[in-house]
Amino acid sequence: MGAPLRSEFRGTGATSGTCADPVRVMIVDDSLTVRTVFSRMIQQEDDMHIVATANTAESGLAELAKAGPDVMLLDLEMPGMGGLEALPKIMTAAPDTKVLVISSLTADGAESTVKALSLGAADTMLKPRPGGFDDEYRSTLLGKIRALKGRAPDAPDAAPAATRRSGKAPQVVAIGASTGGIHALNLFLEKVPANFDLPILVTQHLPASFIPVFAQQVEAAAGRRAVLADEGIPVERGVIYIAPGHGHMVVRKSGGRRVLGLAYHPVKSGCMPSVDPMFETLAEAYDGHVAGVLLSGMGRDGTEGAHSILSAGGTIYAQSAETCAVWGMPRAIAEQGLAAAVLPPAELAEKLIASTGADAWQ
């Protein structure tokens, strides 16, 4: 292992033609090529500023307090400590820094990345193969960095309006999440008692190759069976169902019971899978006896489906802005006063569980 690369600091004040409050970015990756390419991409932007680079987690941690980044690009597979081991230390040392994990396409990479997201990393980008650092990749990377800073349209600028009362007693819980949502989901599920028996459906935006690993980790965290959704699977009590990466998870009535299905139609949000079809079909299949939860995430996926649940007499809960990596998906519902509660994930779970009737328990 070579000597740690000295972190390269540049002035943080605004210069002519640049944003007065640039996104402060730190890159921690053992690949000189990756550090160089990412640095070039970011330095071309007037509203971004590289405050430090490091080629090991140890040297990144050593410079973290001085660098004060808003967003850190963190490789997980590095000599020495590695990004996964360093992540809790990073979050303790710099709780306001959002970590964007740069992950490999391997099975081991998927497992480590989902673990990092469950520990509190805000988002992930797949590390492209040689030649893959193209304009589309650059646009996606820069968009994620801006969103994590709160520079995107998702940034909160108003306090939530007053909340509404809970609706019909739920017979099913449905959760939608994206950026920052895996950590929030874990915090939520940790507060769900073992004898809380309603089925739980989850649509989480992730690369398709990560979904099976995500399902395994959800099962371990929740202490209950987690099943990848597929056509014709019956919805049973006490089970968690996960939307696959290649289709929307939907629910319909069939022969007096509810069964899962997969849909592939385009949706307004552009997401695959999308929260909206899950919410919309649950509202109909359960006649509004649905508790929908919108956790941290970019964009507005879930908003239209939430209106379907509310119109059918169900209830929507939203994660609070200050606890979200990106307050996008819960925002519209919260600001319009359509949520029964706008709270941190653990408190949302407690609020939802307190509102259910005796039928929700074993």
Side-chain angles (χ1 to χ4, degrees):
M1 180 175 65
L5 176 74
R6 177 183 297 176
S7 297
E8 300 171 348
F9 292 91
R10 299 167 180 85
T12 57
T15 58
S16 177
T18 63
C19 176
D21 181 28
V23 187
R24 298 169 59 84
V25 182
M26 183 175 185
I27 303 170
V28 182
D29 196 300
D30 65 332
S31 167
L32 176 60
T33 299
V34 171
R35 293 197 307 274
T36 301
V37 172
F38 281 164
S39 293
R40 287 174 179 169
M41 289 179 175
I42 293 166
Q43 286 169 337
Q44 293 175 16
E45 304 302 302
D46 290 342
D47 64 340
M48 296 185 188
H49 182 64
I50 301 291
V51 293
T53 63
N55 68 352
T56 68
E58 290 89 343
S59 56
L61 277 166
E63 301 288 6
L64 185 57
K66 184 178 178 183
D70 299 308
V71 178
M72 175 187 287
L73 276 53
L74 178 67
D75 185 19
L76 295 184
E77 299 174 4
M78 294 183 287
M81 182 185 295
L84 188 59
E85 184 182 348
L87 181 61
K89 302 177 189 296
I90 292 167
M91 296 178 62
T92 298
D96 294 332
T97 296
K98 304 292 176 61
V99 178
L100 176 59
V101 168
I102 308 301
S103 62
S104 74
L105 292 165
T106 65
D108 288 344
E111 186 171 354
S112 296
T113 300
V114 175
K115 178 65 175 176
L117 293 169
S118 71
L119 290 173
D123 204 354
T124 183
M125 281 284 290
L126 292 173
K127 185 177 291 187
R129 296 182 176 89
F133 290 98
D134 54 16
D135 288 342
E136 181 180 358
Y137 186 91
R138 176 178 177 272
S139 176
T140 301
L141 174 68
L142 297 177
K144 286 178 180 284
I145 292 172
R146 289 189 175 100
L148 292 178
K149 166 65 173 178
R151 188 67 41 84
D154 294 324
D157 54 16
T163 55
R164 64 163 54 190
R165 292 182 179 179
S166 299
K168 299 175 181 178
Q171 298 172 6
V172 63
V173 177
I175 303 173
S178 184
T179 307
I182 292 181
H183 182 54
L185 177 64
N186 277 12
L187 296 175
F188 182 96
L189 292 175
E190 285 173 0
K191 291 295 183 178
V192 178
N195 61 339
F196 182 81
D197 202 31
L198 297 187
I200 300 173
L201 279 64
V202 177
T203 293
Q204 166 73 50
H205 299 162
L206 266 181
S209 61
F210 290 5
I211 295 291
V213 174
F214 169 62
Q216 292 170 7
Q217 293 199 4
V218 167
E219 184 171 85
R224 61 186 71 202
R225 189 159 61 100
V227 176
L228 282 180
D230 205 347
E231 197 67 41
I233 293 178
V235 179
E236 299 176 343
R237 296 175 70 95
V239 181
I240 299 176
Y241 299 92
I242 310 289
H246 63 282
H248 312 302
M249 176 167 56
V250 297
V251 181
R252 64 179 182 273
K253 287 184 178 179
S254 176
R257 62 180 184 173
R258 282 98 174 183
V259 299
L260 299 179
L262 297 180
Y264 306 95
H265 58 280
V267 296
K268 184 180 292 186
S269 68
C271 298
M272 178 65 78
S274 168
V275 179
D276 283 320
M278 177 180 71
F279 277 2
E280 290 163 357
T281 57
L282 280 170
E284 181 176 355
Y286 281 85
D287 189 29
H289 289 272
V290 181
V293 182
L294 284 170
L295 299 177
S296 177
M298 236 182 284
R300 295 175 58 87
D301 187 26
T303 299
E304 293 188 2
H307 280 284
S308 296
I309 290 175
L310 293 169
S311 296
T315 308
I316 295 292
Y317 298 86
Q319 185 175 348
S320 55
E322 70 276 6
T323 63
C324 286
V326 179
W327 199 48
M329 287 167 54
R331 180 182 180 180
I333 297 301
E335 288 186 338
Q336 293 173 41
L338 300 177
V342 182
L343 294 167
E347 295 177 38
L348 278 184
E350 292 172 344
K351 182 77 172 180
L352 185 157
I353 289 163
S355 72
T356 61
D359 290 344
W361 306 87
Q362 289 179 342

